[in-house]
Structures are given as C-alpha cells and as structure tokens.
C-alpha cells in the first residue's frame, strides 16, 4: 500500500531564516506530487505541483520554491521566511492519468514563523 | 465569486440527526468531485468521491447536480465521531489533477 511521509511535524523558525520541508511517498511510482498551505482558519491553497522529476509548476507568486530531485521526493524551500509563511503545509500525491486523480495527503508540517 | 463555495457553519446537531451540506462550484468544465474530511489540526482525508448518478457509503450520501453546479453531502444518524470539517473539492478540466478546495463546513455533533 502507498504511504506518504512528511517531516518535520512541527517547526518554529525566526523571520529571515531558511526553510526545508520534505515529503516522500512509498509504494507507488511516478506520482503527481503537490504542496498545499492552510493558513489558520482558511482553506487549502495549492502552492506547487509536479508531474515528474525536475518538473515543478508554481501556482502562486511567493518566496517559496519546490524541487523534485527524485521520483518520490518533493521538497519545499525558502531562503528567507516571512511571518506570513506560517501555516500548515501539506504534501499530497495522486496517480497519473484521467482516472487516478484522487489525492492523498501526508500528515503535514505545522510551521510557525516568529 | 469563489471557485468552490461552502457554508462554513458551524452546524451543531444532536446525535442521531440527519444533516446536509451543500457546495457550489463555478467552473462548468469541472470533471471530478470529492468530499474530504479534516479533523482539527490533521490532514484532510478522502471521505468519498461524488459520481453523477449519486453514491452512498453507509450513512453518507453524495449527490452531484451538474446543471446547477451543485454538490451535496448527507449524513444520516450522526455520530459524535462525525464531528469534523467537511471539505468540498473539485478538479478542473486540466490534466494535472489540481484540487480546488472549498473553505469547509464545520460539523459538531452533540450528545
């Protein structure tokens, strides 16, 4: 069966510090991968998605970036965090193809920027 | 207009009640629809897909009305464990499978 991991689970970082969040998927190959953010009291916002190694699409302009160095690894990064980057970061995966669109989420990383 | 709209609630109902959530979407080309459940401070989990013919899974029934661009979720015989936020989710017509989430409807089932 497929599993998705994220770490760390929680993170407290000062403004201006760098960020690296990691997501890995097991039990599947060539998944679509997604990064979402959920700010307090708000809905989920898609940040990035990837359909393959090295292929990243950005949904919103921001100081975050994403990379996919391996098929089942997705990384979210920032060089300098802002207060507004605080939130619940969720990685998700789905199969590829018209009938494999259901997305499954990892446990998330709760980021607080102080 | 938001792409996916839900009544945020909260819906406070007694155990055993029947409760219905509604959701509207703006893109008529949307092709796939889901309900996710999100517990407090947890990740969303797929509750059920929504099919054109309507579908049922135990106490949960989902309906889709493409003409009105409207999705519903009916929960019968509510349990305390049903307390959560229910997210209406739509996939657009692109091939990337990007999900568009509603803000969620919060349900609180009381004893």
């Amino acid at each position: 069966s497929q599993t998705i991991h994220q770490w760390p689970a929680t993170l407290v970082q000062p403004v201006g510090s760098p960020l690296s969040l990691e997501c890995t998927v097991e039990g599947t190959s060539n998944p679509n991968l997604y990064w979402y953010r959920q700010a307090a009291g708000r809905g989920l916002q898609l940040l990035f998605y990837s359909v393959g190694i090295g292929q990243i699409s950005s949904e919103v302009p921001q100081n975050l970036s994403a990379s996919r160095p391996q098929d089942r690894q997705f990384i979210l990064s920032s060089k300098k965090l802002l207060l507004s980057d605080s939130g619940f970061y969720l990685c998700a995966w789905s199969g590829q193809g018209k009938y494999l669109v259901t997305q499954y989420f990892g446990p998330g990383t709760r980021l607080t920027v102080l | 207009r938001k792409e996916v709209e839900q009544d945020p609630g909260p819906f406070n109902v007694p155990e055993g009640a029947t409760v219905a959530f509604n959701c509207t979407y703006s893109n008529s080309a949307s092709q796939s629809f889901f309900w996710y459940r999100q517990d407090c401070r947890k990740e969303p989990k797929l509750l059920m897909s929504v099919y054109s013919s309507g579908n049922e899974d135990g106490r949960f029934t989902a309906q889709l009305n493409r003409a009105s661009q409207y999705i519903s979720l009916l929960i019968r015989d509510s349990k305390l464990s049903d307390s959560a936020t229910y997210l209406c989710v739509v996939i657009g017509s692109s091939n990337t499978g990007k999900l568009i989430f509603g803000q969620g409807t919060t349900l609180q089932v009381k004893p």
Side-chain angles (χ1 to χ4, degrees):
Chain A
S1 64
Q2 300 85 7
T3 55
I4 179 168
H5 305 278
Q6 284 186 249
W7 63 90
T10 59
L11 191 59
V12 180
Q13 293 283 97
V15 169
S17 63
L19 173 74
S20 181
L21 303 180
E22 190 161 344
C23 169
T24 58
V25 181
E26 295 177 357
T28 187
S29 59
N30 200 26
N32 286 342
L33 296 172
Y34 308 82
W35 277 113
Y36 291 86
R37 176 171 61 202
Q38 187 174 38
R42 302 183 66 180
L44 277 80
Q45 179 186 37
L46 178 64
L47 302 176
F48 300 94
Y49 66 92
S50 171
V51 298
I53 295 174
Q55 300 178 63
I56 308 294
S57 295
S58 174
E59 286 296 297
V60 294
Q62 60 212 332
N63 68 321
L64 299 171
S65 62
S67 62
R68 185 169 177 175
Q70 300 181 48
D71 181 44
R72 290 170 288 178
Q73 183 185 30
F74 205 21
I75 298 172
L76 183 70
S77 304
S78 174
K79 292 182 180 178
K80 287 186 177 182
L81 284 169
L82 306 173
L83 287 174
S84 57
D85 291 325
S86 293
F88 191 33
Y89 287 82
L90 291 153
C91 180
W93 76 273
S94 72
Q96 296 210 14
K98 182 178 179 181
Y99 300 106
L100 298 172
V101 295
T102 305
Q103 291 186 21
Y104 301 93
F105 287 84
T109 295
R110 198 162 297 276
L111 171 67
T112 303
V113 182
L114 301 175
Chain B
R1 181 185 176 188
K2 292 181 182 176
E3 292 184 85
V4 179
E5 292 201 66
Q6 294 181 252
D7 180 347
F11 284 57
N12 294 299
V13 303
E15 269 187 294
T18 295
V19 60
F21 304 139
N22 301 320
C23 170
T24 57
Y25 60 96
S26 61
N27 184 357
S28 60
S30 298
Q31 297 185 355
S32 299
F33 310 89
F34 306 90
W35 284 100
Y36 277 72
R37 170 193 169 130
Q38 186 174 23
D39 293 294
C40 187
R41 300 179 69 82
K42 297 288 189 179
E43 74 274 22
K45 293 186 177 178
L46 179 67
L47 180 65
M48 58 198 303
S49 302
V50 186
Y51 303 124
S52 296
S53 56
N55 49 300
E56 187 174 311
D57 182 2
R59 297 181 293 109
F60 298 83
T61 301
Q63 296 280 352
L64 168 64
N65 184 322
R66 285 190 185 273
S68 301
Q69 295 177 210
Y70 169 98
I71 306 159
S72 66
L73 176 68
L74 182 76
I75 305 176
R76 291 182 298 278
D77 188 23
S78 300
K79 311 291 185 190
L80 294 177
S81 57
D82 293 334
S83 298
T85 296
Y86 291 83
L87 304 170
C88 175
V89 185
V90 173
I91 292 182
S93 56
S94 73
N95 294 325
T96 58
K98 292 183 287 183
L99 298 182
I100 302 169
F101 284 80
Q103 292 286 91
T105 298
T106 299
L107 172 66
Q108 186 67 43
V109 181
K110 307 280 189 185

